[in-house]
Amino acid sequence: MTKFDILIVGGGAAGFFTAINLAEKNPQLKIAILERGKDVLTKVKISGGGRCNVTHAEFIPKELSKKYPRGEKELLGPFHTFMTGDTIAWFEERGVELKIEDDGRMFPVTDSSATIVDCFISLAKKHHIEVLTNHAVQDVGFDDAFAKAQTTTNTFFVKTSKGVFTCDKLVMTTGSNPKMWKLLEKLGHNITNAVPSLFTFNIKDKRIDGLMGVAKDVTIKVLGTKQKSEGPLLITHWGMSGPAILKLSAWGARDLAAINYKFDIQVNWLQHYSQEEALEMLMELKMAHAKQSPHTYAQLDLPKRLWQSLLIAAGIQPSIKWAELTKSQLQSLSRELTQSRYKVDGKSTFKEEFVTAGGVNLKEVHFKTFESKKVNHLYLAGEVLNIDAITGGFNFQNAWTGGYLIAQAIDS
């Protein structure tokens, strides 16, 4: 049985960030990271297509907090202590320079997640943090039932697949791990059941057949709910993806799970124009291009293949000229442009990244310290909490903020 000052369960982004900040603030602490797998930082390695989307260039706490469908209110205070600018400075002070891309996402200038992984591994070694892999945690408690030892009730006992450890303070950074949620339930926490977040929509519709790779800024809503989103939509071989869809999947995670991912969406391909405004623009195009076929040139800033597909859907064949279009055809086209309905039948994971909505009830955590309100000296960070974000580096920022505040709280 090995005694540590602090045990961190979970060898991911939040776990390493917590451990390193703790060790830097207090080098005397004996710290270990327990990781169930044979490798650590696996999600960091694959994030951002292997480039690691470290954070997002949003520097106003309130605006940053709005990127979290669950956790917006709770993270506002913590972001005033540690957020994007602090993250950039933290990495740069340790030799990792970050860059901002056009969409605000931030990556290491090397464009390689190995830069972040190597930084964490080398800092863990430098500060003598023990990283114990293949240690699946099986139980957590305060007595000697599985330790066969006498101790005070302030000490945590942590049983893994390879042995028993004790610690004065325990940090759980285990992400969306149902087994760890069960252990936390045993310690008195309430868990919000997990449902997928950040997923794409499966749609089979002849209007988007063969349009893979076509992208357009749109407004989109889930019919029968209050869920609405806007931004780039990407047509894929299985349906629809892109930021507009991913935002819908994040904010609507629970609503969409409740209807088993079978629902109708309405897409406005002209984003902010109404059907009436679209009809007026089509009437003007009819006057301006009377002798041309509408199929010859894409209009209204639509990609040509999408424009032609919507023309066919409105019953307008390539042989017809603008001058020959009836009001009924123009009305049909204006509806396709602004009120296209598509039937969603299921979801797909967004790239390699799997994010869930669910975890420890946020009312049971002190967000100045990320300490449990139920169990003294138990701290929680990252996606073990019922916090999740849209894509773009925000989930990692939650991990950095939580880890930093835990280190600050334990050292104070």
Side-chain angles (χ1 to χ4, degrees):
M1 187 169 63
T2 308
K3 171 80 167 70
F4 288 92
D5 295 311
I6 298 157
L7 277 176
I8 295 168
V9 183
F16 267 82
F17 204 75
T18 305
I20 291 164
N21 279 285
L22 276 166
E24 289 179 348
K25 289 174 185 295
N26 189 343
Q28 306 307 315
L29 292 173
K30 189 177 180 185
I31 303 167
I33 295 172
L34 300 174
E35 167 56 44
R36 63 176 172 159
K38 62 182 178 63
D39 295 313
V40 294
L41 299 163
T42 51
K43 201 166 185 178
V44 173
K45 287 176 188 174
I46 65 170
S47 79
R51 295 196 296 147
C52 189
N53 186 181
V54 176
T55 186
H56 200 96
E58 174 53 71
F59 300 95
I60 301 169
K62 185 155 189 159
E63 292 304 310
L64 180 61
S65 71
K66 289 178 181 177
K67 309 302 181 184
Y68 298 82
R70 285 145 291 274
E72 176 181 351
K73 181 180 70 172
E74 290 80 6
L75 288 174
L76 182 56
F79 283 157
H80 277 90
T81 301
F82 191 94
M83 60 171 284
T84 311
D86 306 292
T87 298
I88 296 167
W90 192 95
F91 280 102
E92 287 189 349
E93 286 165 10
R94 291 154 185 82
V96 178
E97 188 180 349
L98 304 180
K99 63 175 180 178
I100 303 173
E101 302 211 330
D102 290 344
D103 59 3
R105 292 181 302 160
M106 298 195 69
F107 296 89
V109 294
T110 58
D111 275 329
S112 173
S113 60
T115 304
I116 305 299
V117 172
D118 291 347
C119 171
F120 284 164
I121 296 292
S122 64
L123 285 170
K125 286 179 180 175
K126 175 183 174 182
H127 295 295
H128 309 293
I129 297 163
E130 292 194 42
V131 180
L132 306 174
T133 55
N134 294 308
H135 275 265
V137 171
Q138 298 171 339
D139 204 354
V140 175
F142 297 99
D143 57 43
D144 62 353
F146 47 78
K148 304 294 186 209
Q150 294 298 318
T151 186
T152 67
T153 54
N154 292 329
T155 300
F156 289 95
F157 283 85
V158 180
K159 182 182 180 181
T160 79
S161 51
K162 289 194 171 182
V164 177
F165 302 85
T166 67
C167 62
D168 298 323
K169 292 181 173 67
L170 180 64
V171 184
M172 299 292 283
T173 62
T174 46
S176 305
N177 184 330
K179 289 182 179 177
M180 295 302 101
W181 282 333
K182 285 287 182 190
L183 288 183
L184 288 167
E185 270 188 322
K186 194 184 83 167
L187 293 174
H189 275 288
N190 290 290
I191 306 298
T192 302
N193 290 335
V195 296
S197 179
L198 284 191
F199 50 84
T200 60
F201 294 174
N202 295 345
I203 299 170
K204 288 185 178 178
D205 191 294
K206 62 184 180 181
R207 288 170 292 178
I208 59 173
D209 279 353
L211 299 187
M212 291 80 76
V214 169
K216 177 71 175 69
D217 282 346
V218 303
T219 298
I220 178 173
K221 56 186 175 183
V222 179
L223 297 175
T225 77
K226 295 180 180 178
Q227 302 301 330
K228 186 177 180 181
S229 172
E230 62 180 58
L233 180 150
L234 174 69
I235 297 172
T236 67
H237 67 269
W238 64 85
M240 293 180 182
S241 183
I245 297 292
L246 294 171
K247 280 191 279 186
L248 264 190
S249 75
W251 261 270
R254 298 211 166 273
D255 286 347
L256 302 185
I259 52 180
N260 200 28
Y261 308 105
K262 296 181 188 296
F263 51 91
D264 289 347
I265 58 172
Q266 185 180 88
V267 178
N268 184 342
W269 295 105
L270 301 184
Q271 197 168 25
H272 300 304
Y273 289 102
S274 67
Q275 184 188 349
E276 292 74 20
E277 289 169 329
L279 183 59
E280 285 180 20
M281 291 188 287
L282 293 174
M283 297 286 283
E284 290 172 6
L285 287 168
K286 177 179 177 177
M287 297 286 290
H289 305 291
K291 295 182 180 180
Q292 287 180 1
S293 165
H295 285 262
T296 304
Y297 300 106
Q299 303 292 344
L300 307 178
D301 292 326
L302 265 69
K304 188 170 184 179
R305 288 189 294 156
L306 176 60
W307 168 255
Q308 290 175 333
S309 177
L310 295 178
L311 286 172
I312 295 295
I316 300 170
Q317 300 301 320
S319 57
I320 199 169
K321 292 182 171 55
W322 274 106
E324 297 166 341
L325 292 180
T326 65
K327 187 171 183 181
S328 175
Q329 286 175 313
L330 290 174
Q331 287 174 329
S332 180
L333 180 56
S334 68
R335 278 194 301 272
E336 286 293 338
L337 288 166
T338 60
Q339 298 176 17
S340 283
R341 291 179 66 149
Y342 299 87
K343 192 168 290 294
V344 177
D345 186 13
K347 60 179 175 53
S348 297
T349 301
F350 174 59
K351 297 183 179 177
E352 308 92 341
E353 299 174 28
F354 186 70
V355 175
T356 60
V360 174
N361 188 312
L362 302 186
K363 292 179 180 177
E364 301 172 358
V365 178
H366 295 286
F367 277 92
K368 285 187 177 180
T369 60
F370 283 76
E371 185 177 7
S372 164
K373 291 180 181 178
K374 299 283 188 178
V375 183
N376 290 338
H377 307 308
L378 171 65
Y379 298 82
L380 307 124
E383 291 177 45
V384 71
L385 297 166
N386 185 24
I387 292 176
D388 62 285
I390 61 173
T391 186
F394 302 106
N395 282 303
F396 275 141
Q397 184 57 56
N398 170 42
W400 314 142
T401 297
Y404 184 86
L405 265 71
I406 289 171
Q408 188 179 60
I410 290 175
D411 185 55
S412 61

